[in-house]
Amino acid sequence: MRIIELKARQQEIIEIVKKNQPITSESIANLLNVSRSALRSDLSILTMSGFLEAKPKVGYFYVRSEERARLSKLIQGTKVGELMSLPVMLEEKSSVYDGIVSMFLEDVGTLLIVSKGYLVGVVSRKDFLKTAIGGSDITKIPIGMIMTRMPNVVVCHETDSIFNAAKKIITHEIDSLPVVEEHTKDGEVFYKVVGRFTKTNIAIQFVELCV
Ligand code: ADP
């Protein structure tokens, strides 16, 4: 492990190299608005301590520390199927009232909505709140009317890495992804639900990596 205090300037250089690699010392100097000679000692400290690698005629590269590389490999190598939770499913024709009751009883934040055994949508706490404050009779409205419907549902597969699944959760600003298996019928793709991958699954893994 590299235990070394870096100066602010050296940290800045590392960030520049990470974003622009391979990059010459001249370009780094231009980006920092300093002369090449003013950078010489920082660049040699960073290469000697293993943060950067200099390839002649190419430029500087960032070298990942062994610790980071190991952690990254572990996260990229862990599959959704190893961490996922059991799905909580409800039929599309169930009422909003039944959905709210299921959410409480099953203690989940998202319900996966199915019809004829296949995923047709998802419904979250906010969807229920919106409907409830709208003042409609929640015993009469079917969940199918308020859910986020296919093909707008973001899904993942058991074999996906948790890294890619977590990126989807962040990009789409959602709490969970249905884990599905694809079935093709008459040229059309249907999704059978096999699990759910949630922010809690990620938090558990995060804690386990630290113990
Ligand atoms: P909460 O309502 O608790 O904030 P989310 O952030 O997960 O939960 O949901 C926000 C919105 O995104 C809701 O309208 C919900 O229907 C929708 N949503 C939730 N999960 C998904 C998903 N996997 N794909 C597409 N939309 C989703």
Side-chain angles (χ1 to χ4, degrees):
M1 215 202 307
R2 297 183 292 216
I3 304 172
I4 176 167
E5 281 277 322
L6 292 181
K7 288 194 302 189
R9 157 70 61 78
Q10 290 161 355
Q11 258 155 8
E12 234 180 312
I13 295 173
I14 289 179
E15 289 313 310
I16 288 176
V17 176
K18 271 189 199 168
K19 275 194 208 124
N20 305 286
Q21 60 188 339
I23 180 167
T24 61
S25 57
E26 200 162 6
S27 306
I28 301 174
N30 283 341
L31 286 170
L32 287 171
N33 230 351
V34 295
S35 69
R36 259 176 84 187
S37 57
L39 275 189
R40 202 159 292 141
S41 75
D42 283 332
L43 282 174
S44 60
I45 288 171
L46 289 172
T47 34
M48 279 189 311
S49 48
F51 287 96
L52 300 184
E53 191 189 333
K55 286 203 182 141
K57 299 205 178 86
V58 185
Y60 287 89
F61 289 87
Y62 174 67
V63 183
R64 279 190 164 181
S65 73
E66 276 170 38
E67 278 295 288
R68 267 186 78 122
R70 193 184 62 80
L71 203 57
S72 167
K73 205 167 148 199
L74 197 70
I75 293 170
Q76 308 251 19
T78 306
K79 305 291 174 213
V80 164
E82 295 169 47
L83 302 182
M84 68 187 189
S85 305
L86 284 175
V88 178
M89 293 182 272
L90 215 58
E91 283 289 323
E92 184 177 10
K93 55 184 182 305
S94 317
S95 70
V96 167
Y97 177 88
D98 287 340
I100 294 174
V101 171
S102 286
M103 201 171 253
F104 272 102
L105 291 179
E106 306 284 351
D107 196 14
V108 291
T110 312
L111 300 173
L112 307 183
I113 312 304
V114 291
S115 176
K116 297 184 188 124
Y118 293 111
L119 180 69
V120 289
V122 297
V123 70
S124 76
R125 286 172 279 224
K126 253 181 251 143
D127 297 325
F128 284 143
L129 285 172
K130 256 190 273 169
T131 314
I133 60 173
S136 4
D137 183 352
I138 57 171
T139 58
K140 299 235 164 65
I141 306 176
I143 278 193
M145 260 182 76
I146 68 152
M147 68 187 183
T148 298
R149 185 172 280 280
M150 293 294 289
N152 297 325
V153 178
V154 186
V155 299
C156 66
H157 301 88
E158 278 182 281
T159 50
D160 290 342
S161 83
I162 57 166
F163 176 72
N164 286 329
K167 276 208 299 197
K168 278 187 183 176
I169 286 181
I170 294 167
T171 309
H172 297 276
E173 298 182 356
I174 47 182
D175 290 346
S176 67
L177 303 171
V179 185
V180 298
E181 256 173 33
E182 281 177 26
H183 290 197
T184 310
K185 259 203 300 187
D186 304 327
E188 214 183 321
V189 180
F190 293 90
Y191 292 131
K192 197 167 170 39
V193 179
V194 293
R196 70 192 163 94
F197 183 69
T198 70
K199 283 182 176 171
T200 306
N201 297 138
I202 299 169
I204 291 169
Q205 179 69 0
F206 179 77
V207 168
E208 271 174 14
L209 286 174
C210 299
V211 291

